[in-house]
Every structure is written in C-alpha cells, then in structure tokens.
Amino acid sequence: VNELGSVYRDMGRCREAAPYFRQAIALHRSEWTERSVGHAVALNNLALCLQEACDYARARQLFERSLAISTALGGPRHPEAL
C-alpha cells in the first residue's frame, strides 16, 4: 500500500497518494506494530505530502514521530535519524 502511494507521490499527485499512506499507517497500527521501519516510512511519506500541501504543522508532527521511531530502532547515529 505504501509503495502505491509512493508511485503517486513521485508523479506529483500527493492528493491521490495520501490515502494510501494513511492506509499503510493504519495497517501498521492494527496488524503489526507502530515501532517498525515500515511505519516510520509511511509516516514520513504522508508528512511529505502534507508539507507539499502547506500543512506544515501536521507534517512536522509526522516527521517527528517518524524520526522518533527511526532513532528508537537504529539509535541516534542511524542514517535515518541524522
């Protein structure tokens, strides 16, 4: 689901991508765990779309959550956390 959203985002169609990222986030919450690389990536991807839509406050919240997960999983020196 996240990859399909990424295709739309790469084509500059964030409005169409966002629902796929939201679905990926929901799947991680219900089926797997919120503390996974996949969840962090989906949060980051949705944040990029929100940033493009000028929803900076919500984008920042998601970027911060994504960063917290990446840091927790890989430590503060992990490339995703830098």
Side-chain angles (χ1 to χ4, degrees), residues 3-82:
E3 293 304 317
L4 186 54
S6 292
V7 169
Y8 281 109
R9 193 191 75 216
D10 290 347
M11 293 187 316
R13 295 164 57 182
C14 273
R15 181 170 280 172
E16 294 169 79
Y20 291 106
F21 296 138
R22 286 186 177 97
Q23 185 179 355
I25 292 165
L27 281 170
H28 279 277
R29 284 185 185 143
S30 66
E31 300 295 324
W32 304 300
T33 178
E34 290 186 31
R35 292 288 185 193
S36 68
V37 172
H39 189 241
V41 169
L43 288 169
N44 189 76
N45 287 340
L46 180 55
L48 290 169
C49 285
L50 292 171
Q51 181 180 20
E52 185 173 308
C54 299
D55 187 350
Y56 300 116
R58 184 74 178 124
R60 180 179 174 177
Q61 290 173 349
L62 295 180
F63 281 134
E64 288 173 349
R65 285 177 49 203
S66 178
L67 177 60
I69 293 167
S70 296
T71 301
L73 292 173
R77 305 280 309 151
H78 189 273
E80 294 293 324
L82 294 175

